[in-house]
Amino acid sequence: MASDSVHVTLPDGKVIDLPAAASAYDAAAAIGPGLARAALAAVVDGELVDLHRPLPQSASLRLITERDPEALGLLRHSAAHVLATAVRRLRPEAQIGFGPAIEDGFYYDFGVDEPFTPEDLETFEAEIQAVIDADFPFEREVVDKVRARELFRDDALKLERLEEFADGETITVYRDGPFLDLCRGPHVPSTGRLQHVKLLSAAGAYWRGDETRQMLQRIYGTAFFKDADLAAHLERLEEAKKRDHRVLGRQLDLFAVDARVGSGLILWQPAGAIVRNEIEDYEKELILRHGYELVYTPHVMSERLFEISGHLENFQENMFGAMEIEGARYRAKPMNCPGHICIYQAGQRSYRDLPIRYAEFGTVYRYERSGVLHGMLRVRGFTQDDAHVFCTEDQVPSEIEALLDLVDEMLTTFGYPYTIELATRPEKAMGSEEVWDHAIGQLRTVLESRGLPFDVDEGGGAFYGPKLDFKLIDAIGRKWQGPTVQLDFNLPERFGMEYIGEDNERHRPVMLHRVLVGSMERFVGGLVEHYAGAFPVWLSPEQVRILPISEQFSEPASAYVAELRSQGIRASLHDRESLNYRIREAEMRKVPYMGVMGEREVENGTVAVRRRGGGRKQEVLDRRVFADQVREEIRTRGSG
RNA sequence: GCUCCGGUAGCUCAGUGGUAGAGCGCUUCCUUGGUAAGGAAGAGGUCGAGGGUUCAAUUCCCUCCCGGAGCUCCA
């Protein structure tokens, strides 16, 4: 065996020997021609690298094919380069920014004088195909800073990035055909490996995300290995569009906005108000059972309160401006916590009283920049299902545990799987690092002791404390902001909160902020998309619609509607137009149950029940049996 | 807030330098129907607001308001 040969260890433990300077591709070829064709890149000693990179003398090797989880990101990153290649061919003057792979695709930022149009995207797509057909190899080159400056002498944005490299740090560039980019890599072997690339949209994006910097034009796209996967992805986008809560909100008369009311302020129509009220009723029942007490606090409060709380100092840019009454300044509250603290301080508290758990559906107002407003999901006025737990430091872990139970029970009711994130100290924060570290440690300990998996969101905490964020996963796999639990050692300090301990001394309580749904507006907006407007029966604005075959049967039908209503079921009568028409109306209105009554039913005391989305299938039931079934479904908050 | 795109009937949208159309919805009438649109007639619009250019502006220009795709931020 020659001393300069290469030994690679494969995942299955098998060792193969190759000539010096052999690449992962050579290894693949040695294993079989099929693998050599399929290989896209390799993981060598744990690092993802190009397929044609020479291997070290001794290495562990795993070949990456399109079946591996790393493959899509790799493909899309290469697709971004192919996009830039195409754009540069057609627009040589375009400055190149960054072009990474992102969750569902990739983007590339360009500095151009004129923004791109939809027609431009079509032209670029055609050129992308040409670049793919040309099958340019992706070639990696290691360069020094001097050489890199020379290569990118006309690319101001790349030069700026270049200066951030430390002296001696490895700088790599990638070339595919005519295009050269400063890039860490790795890439697929050649542009021909890209097959199914689709450009999706173009929009402005600040250079490096900094609004004081130049605005670039970002092109978003996606890429897949299989045409069917691309088609499925585009279908998912269509599906998301169909579920858009703004569209369904209008169709189902759930909520409205009105320029006369103002941007980012929601008008809840009766149907939407029912959904919201059901959630609030459910949650009240839930939290009262879990030892909470309901409180109410004003919407407008003296500005001095927010000086004490620190909101004026830390949150002012998100607050509505002050209003002046008799020389005193008032503010719309941006959070409910100061009010709840004042209620705590309305009396002397003993350790025997703790934990105290105050809950309020508290409406808050926050200034949000106009560009971020979005339907019900991002607004300027919203109602939080807010609660604050005041307890001793010793009680924190058990309170967190109780909250984890509460969150789990609620999210299960709505059919949301979820993930947990632990968010740590942000740059702008109150309180010492020791206090923060201690608080973060407590949250971490509880999660770990329960064996719950979680991610860490560095710097994602609120200014007054670390938090646990729950992310919901909806019916089409998207993530939503869910419950949050925030630990706060700071506000009790600022307000000088106290309780009398067992030792008859004054002690400072710890405070937990928590929301379950977060904002009623956002949560209901999210639910609309989650259920695609077809709410489960307990949440449906209209639960049963009774359709007499003809007006001849309106009277018994109307009597049955009254009977259902008297049992607490939201039922209505629709007796105009043809039956076909009314069935269609009810289906489009997403009413969960339609009850048809004609001669047969009237004679037999039955109702022909058709389920939403169930087509012509019907079930003839005794009227009382049907009412009982619906009531039971409502009572158990079934997800049907 | 910034870049770009848009705002015409309640909704979805077409259209034009000479003050406007469709479908759905709404109203009325006819139809009395067995599981996703029965038929007819009618009402409904200062073409987002203000200013400018023009003999004439919904149409062209400017400013503002509102919405959308993003950037940044976030419950």
Side-chain angles (χ1 to χ4, degrees):
Chain A
M1 195 182 297
S3 62
D4 56 355
S5 68
V6 169
H7 315 277
V8 295
T9 310
L10 302 173
D12 63 3
K14 214 168 103 185
V15 176
I16 54 176
D17 293 322
L18 296 160
S23 68
Y25 175 79
D26 298 323
I31 296 165
L35 184 58
R37 265 198 309 279
L40 295 162
V43 174
V44 175
D45 293 333
E47 191 194 351
L48 188 63
V49 299
D50 296 304
L51 193 62
H52 290 287
R53 200 135 137 213
L55 294 166
Q57 283 219 333
S58 168
S60 75
L61 172 72
R62 182 161 67 89
L63 289 157
I64 301 296
T65 70
E66 64 179 61
R67 291 215 299 265
D68 291 287
E70 298 92 336
L72 258 185
L74 185 77
L75 182 82
R76 289 165 175 173
H77 181 198
S78 296
H81 277 238
V82 168
L83 165 62
T85 309
V87 171
R88 261 291 176 79
R89 272 180 157 188
L90 299 169
R91 305 283 185 87
E93 76 288 357
Q95 293 285 309
I96 47 174
F98 290 148
I102 53 175
E103 192 168 345
D104 281 318
F106 62 88
Y107 67 78
Y108 209 112
D109 288 341
F110 301 95
V112 285
D113 292 336
E114 291 292 313
F116 298 124
T117 64
E119 295 73 51
D120 287 335
L121 292 195
E122 280 176 36
T123 327
F124 295 154
E125 259 185 10
E127 191 62 22
I128 283 172
Q129 197 52 53
V131 174
I132 290 172
D133 293 343
D135 199 18
F136 298 123
F138 277 101
E139 293 164 319
R140 176 179 187 269
E141 191 184 335
V142 178
V143 296
D144 62 21
K145 224 177 200 178
V146 176
R147 169 76 177 139
R149 282 195 196 108
E150 172 64 16
L151 287 170
F152 294 102
R153 62 182 176 278
D154 295 325
D155 287 304
L157 303 176
K158 291 292 174 187
L159 286 175
E160 183 184 326
R161 171 71 186 97
L162 207 47
E163 292 316 312
E164 289 166 15
F165 281 93
D167 286 329
E169 196 176 339
T170 306
I171 300 174
T172 56
V173 298
Y174 275 79
R175 193 186 298 276
D176 63 288
F179 181 68
L180 183 75
D181 202 351
L182 180 67
C183 176
R184 187 186 302 120
H187 281 282
V188 298
S190 69
T191 62
R193 304 303 284 264
L194 280 300
Q195 289 299 325
H196 310 287
V197 181
K198 174 86 184 155
L199 300 184
L200 297 171
S201 64
Y206 298 107
W207 170 232
R208 317 215 64 175
D210 180 344
E211 68 186 54
T212 64
R213 307 293 304 270
Q214 175 187 3
M215 182 159 280
L216 307 176
Q217 294 302 314
R218 174 170 300 178
I219 297 178
Y220 285 93
T222 192
F224 287 89
F225 288 103
K226 295 193 185 90
D227 198 30
D229 292 343
L230 174 61
H233 181 252
L234 296 178
E235 237 170 79
R236 269 198 303 280
L237 293 180
E238 279 304 307
E239 177 62 25
K241 228 176 175 176
K242 269 190 283 186
R243 289 170 176 253
D244 190 320
H245 74 284
R246 293 164 303 177
V247 175
L248 288 169
R250 177 174 295 129
Q251 275 169 13
L252 303 176
D253 294 324
L254 298 173
F255 75 98
V257 288
D258 188 320
R260 295 171 300 180
V261 174
S263 293
L265 298 168
I266 299 298
L267 298 167
W268 292 79
Q269 294 179 276
I274 287 172
V275 177
R276 171 174 168 171
N277 191 52
E278 285 293 340
I279 294 167
E280 291 186 0
D281 283 352
Y282 162 64
E283 194 176 340
K284 277 181 194 166
E285 181 268 312
L286 179 69
I287 64 179
L288 290 174
R289 186 150 50 77
H290 277 78
Y292 286 75
E293 300 170 283
L294 293 170
V295 297
Y296 295 96
T297 61
H299 291 179
V300 171
M301 301 180 185
S302 168
E303 188 169 273
R304 286 171 53 202
L305 181 68
F306 299 112
E307 271 169 31
I308 297 168
S309 70
H311 284 93
L312 225 44
E313 192 186 328
N314 293 286
F315 205 67
Q316 192 168 12
E317 69 253 35
N318 287 294
M319 291 171 70
F320 274 54
M323 44 201 139
E324 216 168 285
I325 304 290
E326 290 186 346
R329 288 158 70 84
Y330 289 81
R331 294 276 192 161
K333 64 175 169 179
M335 292 188 191
N336 299 301
C337 24
H340 291 186
I341 290 171
C342 291
I343 292 176
Y344 177 94
Q345 291 181 315
Q348 193 178 50
R349 307 299 170 187
S350 152
Y351 74 96
R352 296 173 188 278
D353 300 327
L354 304 184
I356 287 174
R357 309 182 186 92
Y358 292 148
E360 177 181 10
F361 289 89
T363 304
V364 297
Y365 291 89
R366 298 184 188 173
Y367 165 67
E368 297 283 357
R369 308 205 305 173
S370 60
V372 306
L373 299 176
H374 184 83
M376 295 182 102
L377 303 183
R378 193 71 185 276
V379 293
R380 286 180 176 157
F382 56 98
T383 300
Q384 291 181 306
D385 60 332
D386 212 353
H388 296 94
V389 176
F390 305 100
C391 62
T392 69
E393 206 172 305
D394 292 346
Q395 290 170 331
V396 169
S398 62
E399 284 304 305
I400 301 275
E401 297 226 7
L403 278 165
L404 292 173
D405 289 337
L406 197 55
V407 164
D408 189 69
E409 181 174 344
M410 194 203 71
L411 294 182
T412 304
T413 300
F414 291 101
Y416 281 121
Y418 60 93
T419 62
I420 304 174
E421 278 178 21
L422 172 60
T424 62
R425 192 174 199 266
E427 272 180 37
K428 201 174 172 184
M430 297 195 305
S432 69
E433 296 220 16
E434 298 79 66
V435 167
W436 274 83
D437 288 346
H438 179 68
I440 293 166
Q442 281 187 309
L443 292 174
R444 189 185 288 273
T445 303
V446 173
L447 290 174
E448 284 171 353
S449 72
R450 285 214 162 189
L452 290 170
F454 62 96
D455 296 322
V456 177
D457 175 12
E458 289 294 346
F463 68 83
Y464 47 76
K467 59 180 180 174
L468 291 182
D469 269 328
F470 297 78
K471 305 284 180 185
L472 317 183
I473 303 177
D474 79 2
I476 56 173
R478 296 172 306 177
K479 276 194 172 186
W480 299 76
Q481 174 64 50
T484 69
V485 178
Q486 306 180 345
L487 219 51
D488 189 347
F489 290 96
N490 289 299
L491 280 180
E493 188 75 35
R494 291 185 79 104
F495 276 87
M497 297 177 75
E498 295 178 337
Y499 68 89
I500 308 297
E502 205 170 354
D503 55 4
N504 198 30
E505 298 291 324
R506 294 169 189 277
H507 296 272
R508 186 127 295 159
V510 175
M511 182 174 176
L512 276 86
H513 308 243
R514 76 100 183 100
V515 294
L516 296 183
V517 308
S519 127
M520 296 310 300
E521 283 74 7
R522 178 177 286 181
F523 189 73
V524 170
L527 273 186
V528 170
E529 306 207 356
H530 179 53
Y531 293 127
F535 292 105
V537 177
W538 72 281
L539 286 173
S540 282
E542 189 180 347
Q543 294 165 323
V544 177
R545 188 176 281 192
I546 298 298
L547 313 173
I549 290 285
S550 79
E551 276 173 31
Q552 198 185 333
F553 308 107
S554 285
E555 219 169 283
S558 175
Y560 187 45
V561 166
E563 168 64 19
L564 292 170
R565 283 186 179 172
S566 75
Q567 296 187 27
I569 294 168
R570 291 187 288 273
S572 67
L573 176 75
H574 192 183
D575 62 354
R576 314 261 299 266
E577 306 293 332
S578 68
L579 184 65
N580 276 336
Y581 181 87
R582 287 176 284 150
I583 295 273
R584 179 164 189 272
E585 288 284 290
E587 287 284 0
M588 295 208 310
R589 202 74 194 177
K590 302 184 192 292
V591 180
Y593 290 109
M594 282 152 267
V596 175
M597 287 172 64
E599 195 173 357
R600 295 198 293 272
E601 290 76 15
V602 168
E603 271 176 20
N604 302 328
T606 57
V607 58
V609 176
R610 172 178 165 135
R611 284 189 76 100
R612 168 182 66 198
R616 298 172 72 97
K617 209 166 60 188
Q618 63 167 333
E619 194 180 359
V620 178
L621 293 174
D622 177 84
R623 286 188 212 148
R624 176 173 294 261
V625 169
F626 174 58
D628 288 347
Q629 274 184 15
V630 173
R631 269 204 328 221
E632 181 62 8
E633 194 174 345
I634 293 168
R635 193 186 66 75
T636 57
R637 301 195 172 88
S639 55

